[in-house]
Amino acid sequence: MKYGVSLRKETELKKKMRRFGVKEKDIAENFVRSSGRGGQNVNKVATCVYLKHNPTGIEVKCKQARTQGLNRFLARRILVEKIETKILGKLSSEKQRIEKIRRQKRKRSKKSKEKMLADKKKQTQIKNLRKKISVHEE
């Protein structure tokens, strides 16, 4: 099946689909007219791709690209990522990304906050030492 992407990307997608047991016959595929940017192409051609994986019930709608072939590829990639998230749970890359953001937003401990403020104060003093001294004579 040709999607308008490189052969390497296509084979990677097929390997990933095999690894998670996603078969083409299990995918219901429909094409819908896209909306948004794209001009006349978007208005005339059904470039938006809707996929439904029947065994899991996961649905994906993709209209990122202007071409139907590329949207078919992207939709399948998104579908496989969602199935991966469902199967692997915490180990998936999406979960790891969300967990990283949560850790970054977490409130600092009192000790680390004091250390950070001390470092800031030290840096301010260093910058103040670099200032030019202006002499005002009256």
Side-chain angles (χ1 to χ4, degrees), residues 119-133:
D119 289 342
K120 275 187 161 185
K121 190 172 186 177
K122 184 179 175 185
Q123 190 64 31
T124 304
Q125 290 171 345
I126 291 169
K127 278 190 165 189
N128 284 335
L129 290 172
R130 279 192 242 144
K131 284 184 181 176
K132 289 185 179 180
I133 301 171

Side-chain angles (χ1 to χ4, degrees), residues 16 32 42 50 55 62 65 76-77 80 86-87 89 113 119 129:
K16 207 168 186 180
V32 189
V42 164
Y50 167 82
C62 181
R76 278 170 174 72
R77 195 162 69 181
V80 172
K86 191 173 185 177
I87 292 171
K113 192 171 184 179
D119 289 342
L129 290 172

Side-chain angles (χ1 to χ4, degrees), residues 1 5 9 11 33 67 82-83 87 89-90 93 96 99 118 125-128 131 134:
M1 193 174 289
V5 293
K9 286 183 179 180
T11 53
R33 285 204 178 140
T67 62
K82 284 189 174 190
I83 292 170
I87 292 171
K90 192 169 175 72
S93 59
Q96 287 176 348
E99 183 65 25
Q125 290 171 345
I126 291 169
K127 278 190 165 189
N128 284 335
K131 284 184 181 176
S134 59

Side-chain angles (χ1 to χ4, degrees), residues 28-50:
E29 184 174 42
N30 292 319
F31 303 103
V32 189
R33 285 204 178 140
S34 294
S35 61
R37 294 179 309 212
Q40 189 175 8
N41 183 60
V42 164
N43 298 328
K44 288 174 71 177
V45 183
T47 55
C48 182
V49 178
Y50 167 82

Side-chain angles (χ1 to χ4, degrees), residues 66-99:
R66 287 185 62 191
T67 62
Q68 190 183 77
L70 187 55
N71 279 333
R72 289 179 77 199
F73 170 78
L74 294 171
R76 278 170 174 72
R77 195 162 69 181
I78 294 166
L79 180 73
V80 172
E81 285 172 4
K82 284 189 174 190
I83 292 170
E84 177 185 13
T85 303
K86 191 173 185 177
I87 292 171
L88 298 180
K90 192 169 175 72
L91 301 175
S92 72
S93 59
E94 182 67 16
K95 289 272 188 183
Q96 287 176 348
R97 186 184 67 80
I98 292 168
E99 183 65 25

